[in-house]
Amino acid sequence: GEPLTRHLALQPNTRIEHMLSDENERYYLIGSNQAYGFIIKFEDLLTSFKNGKAVISLKKNHEILKPDGIDNIKTDMVLAVSNMGRILIFPLKQLPYLKKGQGNKIIAIPQKDRDASPPELLKFLKTLPQRSNILIYSGKHKLNLSPGNQKDYRGMRGQRGKKLPKPFTLIDQVDIIMKDEK
């Protein structure tokens, strides 16, 4: 029930995008819509300074994506989904662990597609535990990618990714469903 301004000194035109609360040793996948990202520990997000601290480097018109908790840093995969329906799945261990910065290229988006109208951007960045399904929503359509069907979208960090079949060209939502969940 306390106002955030009691603990934070927000500059004019500043907004809070995401808030996290977790154990200090928990790892997170963090990235931007310009397709760069890295792994960070929760404790590296913390500061005792009221003005905060810079963790991710964003250029003009770049936005941070929602940080995603990592369940198993050794076996989890990264799921990168662009707003134009391209998917790339690669091992989490291909991303660096950083305390701050921009990170590494996650998925390749050619400059002509970045300059298009609308521009292609990274829309979803999620961790993908082993044996989990991916549910992709586009308008009224839903696509369920089981672990066996995900093989077509696997590659190396920084590759272009594979386009989803029509009508999944504009992605609205992506959910990760563990096999034992219903």
Side-chain angles (χ1 to χ4, degrees):
E2 285 185 34
L4 287 175
T5 52
R6 181 171 178 205
H7 302 282
L8 299 172
L10 296 176
Q11 299 300 316
N13 299 321
T14 301
R15 66 182 189 268
I16 296 173
E17 289 288 328
H18 307 285
M19 293 182 67
L20 300 171
S21 178
D22 212 330
E23 299 293 322
N24 282 346
E25 297 301 312
R26 172 87 183 225
Y27 288 94
Y28 277 86
L29 175 61
I30 190 168
S32 74
N33 65 347
Q34 294 297 311
Y36 285 88
F38 58 95
I39 300 166
I40 191 168
K41 258 188 187 177
F42 180 76
E43 68 185 353
D44 295 328
L45 298 170
L46 302 176
T47 182
S48 59
F49 299 112
K50 197 167 181 177
N51 286 338
K53 73 177 189 178
V55 174
I56 186 167
S57 301
L58 297 174
K59 295 179 182 167
K60 187 175 182 179
N61 298 325
H62 291 201
E63 294 181 14
I64 189 170
L65 297 173
K66 181 180 178 187
D68 198 22
I70 298 171
D71 291 326
N72 188 323
I73 198 159
K74 294 179 181 175
T75 61
D76 283 0
M77 305 288 277
V78 173
L79 171 65
V81 182
S82 81
N83 61 333
M84 297 299 176
R86 286 202 175 265
I87 290 186
L88 179 63
I89 300 171
F90 63 89
L92 183 65
K93 60 187 175 189
Q94 291 181 4
L95 282 177
Y97 165 78
L98 300 173
K99 292 188 177 197
K100 65 179 183 176
Q102 177 176 304
N104 287 5
K105 174 71 77 180
I106 292 173
I107 187 170
I109 301 174
Q111 191 61 43
K112 67 177 181 62
D113 294 330
R114 289 179 188 277
D115 296 338
S117 183
E120 184 171 358
L121 300 167
L122 185 60
K123 188 168 184 181
F124 298 100
L125 182 61
K126 295 183 174 276
T127 57
L128 182 63
Q130 286 185 331
R131 296 180 298 279
S132 56
N133 289 359
I134 304 169
L135 287 178
I136 300 169
Y137 299 90
S138 178
K140 296 179 182 179
H141 303 281
K142 179 172 88 171
L143 177 65
N144 183 3
L145 291 177
S146 64
N149 295 335
Q150 296 169 16
K151 291 178 185 169
D152 293 339
Y153 301 97
R154 291 195 181 187
M156 300 294 288
R157 180 193 61 75
Q159 290 181 331
R160 181 70 174 115
K162 185 176 177 185
K163 196 127 172 93
L164 285 166
K166 289 187 179 183
F168 296 95
T169 52
L170 299 174
I171 308 299
D172 298 320
Q173 182 179 335
V174 175
D175 291 329
I176 306 299
I177 308 296
M178 296 297 291
K179 191 173 183 178
D180 56 345
E181 291 182 17
K182 300 228 179 196

